[in-house]
Amino acid sequence: MAHAENEVTINRPATEVFAFLADGLNNPKWRTGVQSIALKEGVAGESGAVYSQTLTGPKGRPLQGDYKITDAQPGRLLAFQVVAGPARPVGRYALTETGDGTRVHFSLDLKLPVLMRVLDSLVTKTMESEVAQLRNLKEIIEAG
């Protein structure tokens, strides 16, 4: 299984961090590979919401990466499943209030089919790059 995780502390309350993360329309502000995004169905930031997302794929080609929010616990947890595209990881943002703000732990997991396991290290690198963007999230939210 391909796995990546990262953690950052953001100097803002957990409810504010959650609200920003839960609104998928904020993704282009901090995730460099997001070309476009729209709420496809459901209520923004709630379980069941589906976002249609176009990402920058290999060689700059557009790639679908639609995702569905599978669990939304304001101020605590936001989980999702990618539902379109060649790779369909599950991810979660676990939020914990600290004395200095909110610790955000972001993890991605992808079970690769047997025939694609030779790509495990490449997929893991891509996922590691994605979770590393938490530093961008911190900068954007703290800048207000």
Side-chain angles (χ1 to χ4, degrees):
M1 176 181 294
H3 173 81
E5 61 185 291
N6 195 10
E7 193 169 274
V8 69
T9 298
I10 300 174
N11 296 317
R12 292 289 185 270
T15 54
E16 183 180 333
V17 175
F18 177 87
F20 188 90
L21 283 169
D23 182 355
L25 300 181
N26 287 323
N27 285 351
K29 295 177 183 175
W30 68 280
R31 293 181 51 224
T32 59
V34 178
Q35 294 180 0
S36 66
I37 189 163
L39 179 62
K40 188 174 176 180
E41 63 183 66
V43 177
E46 292 188 8
S47 291
V50 177
Y51 287 89
S52 175
Q53 180 174 239
T54 302
L55 306 169
T56 302
K59 299 185 181 181
R61 294 185 183 140
L63 181 70
Q64 280 306 113
D66 300 0
Y67 70 94
K68 179 178 186 173
I69 295 177
T70 56
D71 195 359
Q73 299 173 29
R76 296 184 46 219
L77 176 71
L78 184 68
F80 63 91
Q81 167 74 55
V82 176
V83 295
R88 298 188 182 191
V90 295
R92 61 185 275 137
Y93 300 95
L95 284 63
T96 307
E97 292 261 3
T98 68
D100 298 332
T102 303
R103 184 172 53 245
V104 180
H105 184 266
F106 180 23
S107 63
L108 286 171
D109 290 292
L110 176 63
K111 185 174 181 181
L112 292 166
V114 174
L115 295 176
M116 292 184 66
R117 290 198 182 141
V118 295
L119 301 174
D120 188 82
S121 64
L122 177 63
V123 171
T124 298
K125 264 189 182 174
T126 301
M127 289 171 39
E128 287 171 348
S129 173
E130 184 68 27
V131 299
Q133 293 190 68
L134 277 182
R135 66 181 173 271
N136 299 342
L137 177 71
K138 175 180 174 65
E139 290 175 13
I140 294 296
I141 292 178
E142 289 181 355

